[in-house]
Amino acid sequence: MSDNIQQLREYSTRLIRMGESVSLLFWDQQTYMPTGAANVRAEQIAVMSEFIHKQRTSDEAHKLLVNAEADAKSFDPDSDDARLVAQTRRHYDLMTKLPSEFVAELSRQQALGHEVWVQARKENSFAKFAPTLERIFDLTRQKAEYYGYKDHIYTALLDEYETGTTYTDVVNVFSEMKPYAVALAHAIAASTNPVDSSPIIGEFDIPTQRALTLQVVKQLGFDFNRGRQDEAAHPFCSNASRDDVRLTTRFDRTYLQQALYASLHEAGHGMYEQGSPERLEGTILAGGTSLGVHESQSRLWENLVGRSRSFSKWVFPIVKDHFPQLKNTDAEGFYRAVNKVEPSFIRVEADEVTYNLHILLRFEMECELLTGKLAFKDVPEAWNAKMTEYLGITPSTDSEGCLQDVHWSEGLIGYFPTYTLGNLISAQLFHALRREHPNIEADFETGNFAPVLSWLRENVHSHGAKFLPHEVVLKATGEPLNSKYYVDYLNTKFGDIYAL
Amino acid sequence: MSDNIQQLREYSTRLIRMGESVSLLFWDQQTYMPTGAANVRAEQIAVMSEFIHKQRTSDEAHKLLVNAEADAKSFDPDSDDARLVAQTRRHYDLMTKLPSEFVAELSRQQALGHEVWVQARKENSFAKFAPTLERIFDLTRQKAEYYGYKDHIYTALLDEYETGTTYTDVVNVFSEMKPYAVALAHAIAASTNPVDSSPIIGEFDIPTQRALTLQVVKQLGFDFNRGRQDEAAHPFCSNASRDDVRLTTRFDRTYLQQALYASLHEAGHGMYEQGSPERLEGTILAGGTSLGVHESQSRLWENLVGRSRSFSKWVFPIVKDHFPQLKNTDAEGFYRAVNKVEPSFIRVEADEVTYNLHILLRFEMECELLTGKLAFKDVPEAWNAKMTEYLGITPSTDSEGCLQDVHWSEGLIGYFPTYTLGNLISAQLFHALRREHPNIEADFETGNFAPVLSWLRENVHSHGAKFLPHEVVLKATGEPLNSKYYVDYLNTKFGDIYAL
């Protein structure tokens, strides 16, 4: 390693360690922090974040980067060091493209926006939120102009979350998927073989649920020596290095599926972080490469593994040990119950079939709002029309419609498609995995998840954030991202369950 | 407030918020951190601490301080602003008196020292620790020379923990106390009215103990909206602002006193931090003023309140509700059990009577080692001789003797006397409190602790760290610190219990 690379790396490691401390402040805020500490916690996070941002855009940072770039010219462009320099340049450019007054104004509006959204949602009044939303979209449009783009304004926003993926990529994905998803949802609605979800509805003691989720997450391969699981209102996974990965889950006393599958989902994120290679630790190449690839890991474990028939054969006896009231059902009944498809208003509660239609709706509306095709006052009407068209149901209130998600109020625009990309990637990865391990599902029946984890470690986790999302997908599966495998997966699985 | 003061304050607030983040990292390390994260956590803490130290000793910090000092000349020296400037100067001078290479070397030896001590203690071999201890004392001596002192080298060290208190003060305290404490311990040993501690020894379910401690700590007045209680191997209290105070406690399944009184003790520390005035929040004048005054708060709640007969009358029925196996004892039996006096080897398990003799031993040995009167190889022999003289018992191993405390290995020399100062201050404060509330103990019987907390809020907590420890004692009690009240308290209480 050249001295210049070494210096760049050391400078950046210090800031990464401080950033990890900020992650811990966030984690604590959502798990153990006393409520009275909310204001001072916001200050602590703001002070640290501002300091880190200043250091990452400082003259010193720039000088270290320029020196390292001079050295990197002679490196293999796929070497760790060349990628480290290139990624640092990308981050530096992104951060310095926005004038600092603009960053401050955006943060201010996001913080205010969140509060207005909370209130508007409580009062079930989109009208209260509309002016704020318009201001946030104005600033977001301005942000995209600062970043710059070639094809479509949406690409500039998406690039922050899923680097290298364009507006056109997302349009193509949805135009391939949408007809199949809509057709499948309609076929299921008309099925004569409906799913009974009553076995997983009832009274499920929370400490017992906790024990169950811990046992299952451990068996998947999540390393509790380098991580833990706690409770939070909105489940998330946070990490302060590969050696300190924190899962959270949420318990519903009346609905067994909630905590179990939220735990599988977050464990998928967590195992990705734990699998980041040691040699990249403390650099910007450590950890997951994008939101989409991250979501592919969580969805793969939650759905491709966790909602498979063979997984049910393993997990059901364990579930029954914890909750003897399930004695009148069996593994197949459990499998069907956790796979019930039903159009619903709330995205985060949606099943695998309808989920991506919720995302499509948001993607289309974001594009229309950004390009001025849709007026802000008309958001509820447009939302409800799309819900009716795609899912056949119509929200009766703004809260169960266009006010349900936190994202827009916080300026997270261009973010939603990564959820669908994650679903697609999960199926494409699983297909590639099965090419190598044709009988992988037989392992699930005995609770042996090591082959899946090893394969993901080797083909996804071991890259850390060194490669861009589309590079990871290509390396792991041998072809570019496409929706074929996900559509096939849904058709096969739900065609069987619903006897279509 | 002048602009210069305002600027000094803002500069410092940012560093205080970062310091609070470091506190949270420490708290997390001892409560929830996965074991595999130990190395990266050490790095996170080191990076943040080094940064904070650099900023506090930077040219900018110095310039802000000098400007503020110019303004402060015209202020009332007891005003918040004048004290803020004076305290900042004191900290700045202390931090800049040590050359940075020396600070690095001291930290390195402390970290190494801790590891060697852990190993030596495990192997029960002081000889293994002796060379390290000698190096640490050499560096400590050097540190005192950098700081400078007038009377005795010990004063320079003590000043870091208990500003304004001198070697002579500590000598005087012990020369007053020692004869009484030794005589009392001997009289108790010969008493014909021994204490039966069997009611609090047995099997005590930990979740039930946890519920009990939470109920009691809440009743004392600890604000759970701005704090919480968790479990740790070594109980401590940590805070990230007055609005985020974290208590920890430790449960012993077979010894009921452990968790209950550790909880009272830490709650005493915690209520001091929670009572720091809002107007000083985010400045170096926020929080407790010294280790000694902090310990006075913890010991006051633990012992003067918690181990009083009237407190037992209130708490015993609650204890019995939680642990019906205590049905054959009564409040008086419980009171006697938690006040059993018995010479023992381990300081942290010592009763109120013998505790300060453990401290005296350490203080004397530190002085002898610093001034070369005692050779390092002779530490175990000297330790055991003092134990025999003061407590009438002789440790049979180094681990139950001179290797028991972590302090020396971490360079915390000049620290032990603050424990005894805390005991003395607690009794002197309680005496002053009783002058105003002669029937305060009747309130304890009904679980009414508000008058105690209000008095402490007004006379101690409301000063934050604005005044030096001896100023706080004088303001609150009307006289300088002395051992009279503590000696009287012990003689009266234990004379009664042991019918002396």
Side-chain angles (χ1 to χ4, degrees):
Chain A
M1 198 185 296
S2 82
D3 276 1
N4 286 325
I5 303 281
Q6 184 63 31
Q7 280 174 31
L8 178 71
R9 208 174 146 142
E10 280 168 15
Y11 184 85
S12 152
T13 296
R14 297 171 56 81
L15 299 177
I16 285 167
R17 295 294 176 231
M18 293 183 84
E20 289 166 353
S21 308
V22 177
S23 294
L24 193 82
L25 292 174
F26 273 115
W27 170 83
D28 179 75
Q29 183 170 29
Q30 296 185 59
T31 50
Y32 295 112
M33 189 188 80
T35 52
N39 288 338
V40 71
R41 177 55 49 88
E43 269 187 68
Q44 289 156 352
I45 289 173
V47 163
M48 303 263 296
S49 304
E50 191 193 329
F51 169 77
I52 294 169
H53 185 265
K54 263 192 191 160
Q55 295 295 105
R56 291 181 69 182
T57 55
S58 70
D59 292 345
E60 189 183 353
H62 187 244
K63 199 180 134 218
L64 291 169
L65 174 57
V66 170
N67 290 345
E69 281 176 328
D71 289 4
K73 277 186 189 138
S74 61
F75 299 163
D76 170 2
D78 275 357
S79 66
D80 288 353
D81 288 350
R83 289 288 180 145
L84 179 82
V85 173
Q87 285 276 45
T88 307
R89 164 57 70 186
R90 197 174 70 76
H91 287 198
Y92 178 84
D93 285 348
L94 271 184
M95 279 183 293
T96 51
K97 269 182 184 166
L98 307 181
S100 56
E101 317 81 65
F102 177 79
V103 172
E105 174 62 11
L106 186 61
S107 312
R108 212 173 68 87
Q109 289 298 337
Q110 287 166 345
L112 292 171
H114 183 83
E115 290 313 303
V116 176
W117 170 76
V118 167
Q119 200 50 40
R121 191 181 180 212
K122 201 184 282 172
E123 297 175 22
N124 194 20
S125 159
F126 177 77
K128 286 226 159 181
F129 183 50
T132 303
L133 185 64
E134 187 162 358
R135 234 177 351 260
I136 288 173
F137 264 83
D138 283 346
L139 287 168
T140 302
R141 220 179 279 122
Q142 213 176 321
K143 184 175 75 167
E145 299 300 336
Y146 281 126
Y147 285 156
Y149 51 88
K150 287 177 194 152
D151 59 337
H152 189 283
I153 188 169
Y154 204 85
T155 299
L157 302 173
L158 189 59
D159 201 67
E160 240 185 292
Y161 309 111
E162 201 68 17
T163 312
T165 302
T166 65
Y167 167 75
T168 311
D169 295 333
V170 176
V171 168
N172 289 343
V173 155
F174 279 118
S175 61
E176 284 164 34
M177 274 190 61
K178 183 179 159 185
Y180 296 104
V182 172
L184 182 57
H186 287 174
I188 289 171
S191 164
T192 54
N193 187 15
V195 160
D196 173 17
S197 60
S198 65
I200 56 170
I201 297 170
E203 264 293 308
F204 304 96
D205 170 62
I206 288 177
T208 311
Q209 285 199 52
R210 184 175 296 121
L212 170 66
T213 61
L214 288 171
Q215 182 180 342
V216 171
V217 163
K218 193 170 179 191
Q219 183 87 8
L220 296 187
F222 181 79
D223 178 0
F224 278 94
N225 186 46
R226 299 190 291 132
R228 45 181 295 117
Q229 181 185 271
D230 299 273
E231 203 173 335
H234 302 280
F236 65 97
C237 168
S238 136
N239 64 299
S241 89
R242 67 196 287 278
D243 291 332
D244 193 354
V245 179
R246 314 267 173 128
L247 314 178
T248 57
T249 194
R250 169 169 63 184
F251 297 96
D252 182 335
R253 180 178 285 285
T254 65
Y255 191 44
L256 183 54
Q257 182 167 226
Q258 170 69 261
L260 181 60
Y261 285 91
S263 297
L264 288 174
H265 182 98
E266 300 308 332
H269 286 301
M271 289 188 285
Y272 188 11
E273 292 293 334
Q274 289 188 331
S276 175
E278 204 164 353
R279 72 178 201 284
L280 300 179
E281 174 56 14
T283 74
I284 58 165
L285 301 185
T289 190
S290 72
L291 294 180
V293 178
H294 239 300
E295 193 74 5
S296 80
Q297 300 303 293
S298 54
R299 299 293 269 183
L300 189 146
W301 287 101
E302 179 191 357
N303 292 329
L304 285 290
V305 175
R307 285 196 173 88
S308 68
R309 181 174 272 128
S310 44
F311 182 85
S312 295
K313 288 182 186 162
W314 170 71
V315 85
F316 179 71
I318 298 171
V319 174
K320 204 172 59 178
D321 277 352
H322 286 77
F323 296 106
Q325 69 245 55
L326 271 81
K327 64 181 186 299
N328 296 326
T329 188
D330 59 10
E332 181 67 16
F334 182 80
Y335 168 62
R336 291 178 64 83
V338 299
N339 280 297
K340 186 180 176 77
V341 174
E342 194 164 40
S344 61
F345 296 120
I346 304 298
R347 175 185 59 86
V348 296
E349 293 166 6
D351 56 77
E352 288 182 83
V353 174
T354 59
Y355 187 87
N356 297 295
L357 296 170
H358 288 267
I359 301 299
L360 171 61
L361 175 158
R362 286 152 178 80
F363 168 62
E364 288 177 348
M365 290 191 62
E366 287 180 349
C367 290
E368 290 171 17
L369 288 169
L370 284 167
T371 55
K373 276 191 199 136
L374 175 65
F376 286 89
K377 67 173 174 46
D378 298 332
V379 162
E381 202 183 324
W383 183 288
N384 294 354
K386 281 183 197 293
M387 280 296 286
T388 314
E389 183 190 343
Y390 300 160
L391 292 173
I393 55 174
T394 313
S396 58
T397 68
D398 292 344
S399 296
E400 67 180 20
C402 61
L403 282 178
Q404 70 183 264
D405 292 309
V406 71
H407 301 60
W408 291 349
S409 77
E410 293 182 349
L412 299 173
I413 296 157
Y415 184 115
F416 280 119
T418 67
Y419 292 127
T420 288
L421 295 172
N423 284 328
L424 266 49
I425 299 170
S426 72
Q428 191 166 329
L429 287 173
F430 201 70
H431 179 83
L433 159 69
R434 242 192 327 211
R435 270 200 311 258
E436 281 179 44
H437 298 279
N439 297 315
I440 193 78
E441 304 213 354
D443 286 327
F444 298 174
E445 295 184 20
T446 61
N448 178 15
F449 306 106
V452 181
L453 184 55
S454 304
W455 192 90
L456 292 173
R457 286 271 189 266
E458 189 183 331
N459 291 283
V460 180
H461 306 180
S462 67
H463 300 314
K466 179 176 169 180
F467 298 110
L468 295 178
H470 63 268
E471 294 177 305
V472 172
V473 171
L474 189 60
K475 276 174 191 288
T477 70
E479 55 185 322
L481 175 65
N482 65 77
S483 55
K484 178 179 179 305
Y485 300 104
Y486 194 64
V487 168
D488 283 355
Y489 159 70
L490 291 183
N491 278 333
T492 307
K493 177 174 175 179
F494 292 97
D496 168 63
I497 292 176
Y498 281 95
L500 304 177
Chain B
M1 197 184 297
S2 81
D3 276 2
N4 287 324
I5 302 281
Q6 183 63 30
Q7 281 175 32
L8 178 72
R9 208 174 147 144
E10 279 168 15
Y11 184 85
S12 153
T13 296
R14 296 171 57 81
L15 300 177
I16 286 167
R17 295 294 176 232
M18 293 182 86
E20 289 166 354
S21 309
V22 177
S23 294
L24 193 83
L25 292 174
F26 273 116
W27 170 84
D28 179 75
Q29 183 170 31
Q30 296 183 60
T31 50
Y32 295 112
M33 189 188 80
T35 50
N39 287 338
V40 71
R41 177 56 48 87
E43 269 187 67
Q44 289 155 352
I45 289 173
V47 164
M48 303 261 298
S49 304
E50 191 193 329
F51 169 76
I52 294 169
H53 184 266
K54 261 192 193 161
Q55 295 296 106
R56 290 182 70 182
T57 55
S58 70
D59 292 345
E60 189 183 354
H62 186 246
K63 199 180 136 219
L64 291 169
L65 174 57
V66 170
N67 290 345
E69 282 176 328
D71 290 5
K73 278 187 190 138
S74 60
F75 299 164
D76 169 4
D78 275 358
S79 66
D80 288 354
D81 288 350
R83 289 288 180 145
L84 179 82
V85 173
Q87 285 276 47
T88 308
R89 164 59 69 186
R90 198 174 69 76
H91 288 198
Y92 179 84
D93 284 348
L94 272 183
M95 279 183 294
T96 51
K97 270 181 182 167
L98 307 181
S100 56
E101 317 80 65
F102 177 80
V103 172
E105 174 62 11
L106 187 61
S107 311
R108 211 173 68 87
Q109 290 299 337
Q110 286 166 346
L112 292 172
H114 182 83
E115 290 312 304
V116 176
W117 170 76
V118 167
Q119 200 51 40
R121 190 181 181 212
K122 201 183 283 171
E123 297 176 21
N124 194 19
S125 160
F126 177 79
K128 286 227 160 182
F129 182 51
T132 303
L133 185 64
E134 187 162 357
R135 237 181 344 264
I136 288 172
F137 265 84
D138 283 346
L139 287 167
T140 302
R141 221 180 279 121
Q142 213 176 321
K143 182 175 76 168
E145 299 300 337
Y146 281 126
Y147 285 156
Y149 51 87
K150 287 178 194 152
D151 59 337
H152 190 283
I153 188 170
Y154 203 85
T155 299
L157 301 173
L158 189 59
D159 201 67
E160 241 184 290
Y161 310 112
E162 201 67 17
T163 312
T165 302
T166 65
Y167 166 76
T168 312
D169 294 333
V170 176
V171 168
N172 289 343
V173 156
F174 279 118
S175 62
E176 283 164 34
M177 274 189 62
K178 181 179 160 185
Y180 295 104
V182 172
L184 182 57
H186 287 174
I188 289 170
S191 164
T192 55
N193 188 13
V195 160
D196 173 18
S197 61
S198 66
I200 56 170
I201 296 169
E203 264 292 308
F204 304 96
D205 170 63
I206 289 177
T208 311
Q209 284 198 54
R210 185 176 296 121
L212 170 66
T213 62
L214 288 170
Q215 181 179 343
V216 171
V217 164
K218 193 171 178 187
Q219 183 87 8
L220 296 186
F222 180 79
D223 179 359
F224 278 95
N225 186 45
R226 299 190 292 132
R228 45 180 297 118
Q229 181 186 270
D230 299 273
E231 203 172 336
H234 302 280
F236 65 97
C237 168
S238 136
N239 65 298
S241 90
R242 68 195 286 277
D243 292 332
D244 193 353
V245 179
R246 314 267 172 128
L247 314 178
T248 58
T249 193
R250 168 168 64 183
F251 297 96
D252 182 335
R253 179 179 286 285
T254 65
Y255 191 42
L256 183 55
Q257 180 166 225
Q258 170 70 259
L260 181 60
Y261 286 91
S263 298
L264 288 173
H265 182 97
E266 300 307 334
H269 285 302
M271 289 188 285
Y272 188 12
E273 291 293 334
Q274 289 188 330
S276 175
E278 204 164 354
R279 72 176 202 284
L280 300 179
E281 174 57 13
T283 75
I284 58 164
L285 301 185
T289 191
S290 72
L291 294 179
V293 178
H294 239 300
E295 194 73 5
S296 80
Q297 300 303 294
S298 54
R299 298 293 268 183
L300 188 146
W301 288 101
E302 178 191 359
N303 292 330
L304 285 290
V305 176
R307 285 196 172 88
S308 68
R309 180 174 273 129
S310 43
F311 181 86
S312 295
K313 288 183 185 161
W314 170 71
V315 86
F316 179 71
I318 298 171
V319 173
K320 205 171 57 177
D321 277 352
H322 286 78
F323 295 106
Q325 68 243 55
L326 271 80
K327 64 180 186 298
N328 296 327
T329 188
D330 59 11
E332 181 66 16
F334 182 80
Y335 168 64
R336 292 178 64 82
V338 298
N339 280 296
K340 187 180 176 76
V341 174
E342 195 164 39
S344 61
F345 297 120
I346 305 299
R347 174 184 59 86
V348 297
E349 293 165 6
D351 56 76
E352 288 182 83
V353 174
T354 59
Y355 187 88
N356 297 295
L357 295 170
H358 288 268
I359 301 299
L360 171 61
L361 175 158
R362 285 151 180 79
F363 168 63
E364 289 178 346
M365 290 191 64
E366 287 180 350
C367 291
E368 290 171 16
L369 288 168
L370 284 167
T371 55
K373 275 191 200 134
L374 176 64
F376 286 89
K377 67 174 176 42
D378 299 331
V379 162
E381 203 183 322
W383 183 289
N384 294 353
K386 281 185 196 290
M387 280 296 286
T388 314
E389 184 190 341
Y390 300 160
L391 292 173
I393 56 175
T394 312
S396 58
T397 69
D398 293 344
S399 296
E400 68 180 19
C402 61
L403 282 178
Q404 70 182 266
D405 293 309
V406 71
H407 301 61
W408 291 349
S409 77
E410 293 182 349
L412 298 173
I413 295 156
Y415 184 115
F416 280 119
T418 67
Y419 292 126
T420 288
L421 295 173
N423 284 329
L424 266 49
I425 299 169
S426 72
Q428 192 166 328
L429 287 172
F430 200 70
H431 179 84
L433 159 70
R434 246 196 320 214
R435 269 200 310 257
E436 282 179 43
H437 298 280
N439 297 315
I440 194 80
E441 304 212 354
D443 287 327
F444 298 172
E445 295 183 20
T446 61
N448 178 15
F449 306 107
V452 181
L453 184 55
S454 304
W455 191 91
L456 292 172
R457 285 271 189 265
E458 188 184 332
N459 292 282
V460 180
H461 306 178
S462 67
H463 300 313
K466 180 177 168 181
F467 298 110
L468 295 178
H470 63 266
E471 295 176 305
V472 172
V473 171
L474 189 61
K475 277 174 189 289
T477 69
E479 56 185 322
L481 176 64
N482 65 76
S483 56
K484 178 180 177 306
Y485 300 103
Y486 194 64
V487 168
D488 281 355
Y489 159 71
L490 291 183
N491 278 333
T492 307
K493 176 173 175 178
F494 293 96
D496 167 63
I497 292 176
Y498 282 94
L500 303 177

